[in-house]
Amino acid sequence: MKRNFVGLIFILCLSLPLFSQEDEINKKSIQAYDPKNYSLNTELKILRKSYPDCTFELNYDEEVDDFTITVTAENKSTVFYWCKGLYLPKSQLDSKEHYWRVIVPYNREPIDPAKMTKEQIEKIRSFGSTENRKKGRVSSKALFEAIYDSHTFKDTEPKIVNNITFLGKKTRIHRSVLPALRRVEKKIYSLAKTDKETKNFLDNLASADAYYWREIRDSNTRSFHSFGIAIDVLPKGWSKKIIYWGFEKNNGNKDWMLIPLEKRWSPPKKVIRAFESEGFIWGGNWAIWDNMHFEYHPEQIATLDLIPFTEH
């Protein structure tokens, strides 16, 4: 939790001299440039590195007094307002307080409940409440709808690769993410040859479900499963394990956030690192933890290059 906060401050405090303003901001924009928007250049570099098949063109809207980023993917272009890292279409600007930043530092360690303060515990409890999940902030999916050309069910379905397997289990995935998933698979199979933990993980894997069109439970926003960029790896006998915060909460456990790390099912650390090395983040590191869940977010993994990390 502490590192999450420190990491966020770090990325927000990156100084402009790291990148030339002339690289990213045309002369017309420089005159209207707001120094408080200094992390924009960093974020554009991260997005361009993370999604090389897309283009991200920077301009400035004097009427709105904000930078615009035109995202072009699949020969389609969509304009977003930077909005201090929210990346919103114009139609969402009036409700910007409802959204989180898109690029946030990736926390590479689970939050240890044994080290949480009472204040942190109550914040997490409140964050995971049904009321907050229905009315609280969400991540706007608009940018990812443009990147993956997946605005609707009709848009998304043709881009889903069906009838494939991952680690021997049938699954469906967005075609853009398939190469990264194949590299993860190759690394895990290689690890299993010499690492007993990884081999045991493979032997006890029950399913690996990815694409499924749905909203996030208790919220009004799409799940990344509905983009085909998230995958759940379920072990055999998972119902006997503590694997997902929501199951505990819905079963009446008000202290779900205090379940010790050692009592939660988790993929082997080497498996998690294999996913991370190819741009996937692990849900077990979230405050509202989902230990079976991986999402393709290279823009978050890229923040590890900016924030020093020590393996524990």
Side-chain angles (χ1 to χ4, degrees), residues 156-162 172-175 211 226-228:
T156 307
E157 279 285 321
K159 299 171 184 67
I160 300 301
V161 183
N162 299 297
R172 300 186 292 168
I173 198 82
H174 193 286
R175 66 191 183 197
Y211 173 69
S226 72
F227 289 82

Side-chain angles (χ1 to χ4, degrees), residues 35 63 134 154 164 212 291 294:
E63 182 179 348
K134 286 183 177 180
K154 186 177 180 180
I164 64 167
Y212 181 68
N291 287 24
F294 290 91

Side-chain angles (χ1 to χ4, degrees), residues 180-196:
L181 193 66
R182 285 290 183 233
R183 292 191 295 270
V184 173
E185 182 179 54
K186 184 177 180 179
K187 290 180 178 181
I188 293 175
Y189 277 140
S190 180
L191 284 167
K193 293 177 182 179
T194 56
D195 184 70
K196 290 182 179 180

Side-chain angles (χ1 to χ4, degrees), residues 238-254:
W238 66 268
S239 60
K240 299 177 183 179
K241 306 285 185 177
I242 302 176
I243 196 170
Y244 172 58
W245 77 279
F247 295 157
E248 287 294 302
K249 175 179 176 289
N250 293 335
N251 284 334
N253 185 353
K254 297 180 180 180

Side-chain angles (χ1 to χ4, degrees), residues 8-21 23-25 33-43 45 306:
L8 182 56
I9 294 300
F10 183 90
I11 199 170
L12 291 178
C13 293
L14 291 171
S15 58
L16 272 175
L18 288 174
F19 306 104
S20 168
Q21 290 185 9
D23 287 343
E24 305 291 356
I25 306 170
Y33 188 77
D34 179 357
K36 293 181 181 179
N37 292 347
Y38 48 73
S39 62
L40 172 59
N41 285 339
T42 306
E43 293 187 349
K45 286 182 178 289
L306 305 175

